[in-house]
Amino acid sequence: MERMTEDSGKDQPYLVYEFERRAYPLSGGPFTIGRDAGSDVVIREPSVSRSHAEVRAEGEEFVLHATGATGTKVNGKAVAAPLQLHDGDRIEVGSAELTFRRGKLPLGVSVVDSADGSAHDPDSMTRRETIKSPILGAVSTPQKKSSMVPVLLLLVVLLAVAGYYFFMR
């Protein structure tokens, strides 16, 4: 039996990331889930798209839009079209599980403060280039060829030193 704690905002909607035991308050703007460092909930798994899913407020309700290529599930069923969320719905993104909650949160869950949008600073150092495979038809960018000038200069210097050594003996 799961114990619940009272919250001051009775109908405040949250997405609870079960693994981290964190609750993310939902507001009027779009709420993004994905591998990208700029997402509201970052899930670092290869099976998760950079922009995997988005929860949007539509009137008084919240709707899940699956935007990733690898699929999103709600209550074990794949999401093919936008889906209205109800209290207790379980959203599966890769192996991560998030739960949509209204008002009450499980005991021991901390609420992430996202009062201003500037508090979320995307970490650009964790972004990686997209892996491109020539087998899949990805166009590779040509690598800049190194200059031969330093190599030739070194060769001339070595030949001059060797010549001086042999002829001055």
Side-chain angles (χ1 to χ4, degrees), residues 55-140:
V55 177
R56 299 181 198 152
E58 295 183 5
E60 293 294 313
E61 302 302 324
F62 287 86
V63 177
L64 176 73
H65 296 263
T67 56
T70 57
T72 304
K73 294 181 181 179
V74 173
N75 299 325
K77 296 180 182 173
V79 176
L83 180 70
Q84 182 178 340
L85 295 172
H86 302 285
D87 190 35
D89 280 349
R90 294 197 169 296
I91 303 165
E92 296 174 41
V93 175
S95 66
E97 189 171 282
L98 298 110
T99 306
F100 177 74
R101 296 277 187 193
R102 278 198 182 267
K104 293 184 177 183
L105 293 173
L107 194 62
V109 171
S110 61
V111 177
V112 175
D113 182 23
S114 61
D116 69 44
S118 65
H120 183 65
D121 182 28
D123 183 8
S124 62
M125 297 302 289
T126 60
R127 292 187 183 189
R128 299 181 304 186
E129 290 283 325
T130 301
I131 299 170
K132 298 174 184 161
S133 172
I135 296 172
L136 299 175
V139 177
S140 63

Side-chain angles (χ1 to χ4, degrees), residues 1 16 19 25 29 36 57 63 70 81 88 91 112 147:
M1 184 166 126
V16 179
F19 178 73
D36 187 65
V63 177
T70 57
I91 303 165
V112 175
S147 177

